Amino acid sequence: FRLLEQIRLGKKDTVVGMIIRVFMVHGEKIPVELIEALKNKHDINMFRAYMYAFLGALLSKQGE
């Protein structure tokens, strides 16, 4: 829930740090698509849309 709140607040740096830490802890590479979404070239609304889509896909994957 902390990640969702940081996304909602538009705290890009915090969100990027949290996501990188999760992947590092699990010893996995960050997908190229996610790296693209994390770049600073997107406005805050597009960033939020990417992050919500990422989390939605992640949660649906866990439910399988």
Side-chain angles (χ1 to χ4, degrees), residues 5-61:
E5 181 66 8
Q6 297 303 307
I7 293 168
R8 185 187 70 76
L9 292 172
K11 296 191 175 187
K12 289 172 116 177
D13 293 338
T14 304
V15 171
V16 170
M18 292 171 81
I19 289 174
I20 289 171
R21 268 181 272 158
V22 168
F23 276 92
M24 288 181 71
V25 165
H26 288 83
E28 295 185 23
K29 288 185 175 183
I30 299 173
V32 175
E33 298 84 6
L34 184 55
I35 292 172
E36 187 62 31
L38 296 176
K39 289 184 178 176
N40 251 351
K41 67 181 182 179
H42 304 292
D43 70 8
I44 194 63
N45 290 323
M46 186 59 72
F47 176 77
R48 285 183 184 125
Y50 282 139
M51 292 300 100
Y52 291 143
F54 167 72
L55 291 176
L58 187 65
L59 292 174
S60 68
K61 196 176 199 183

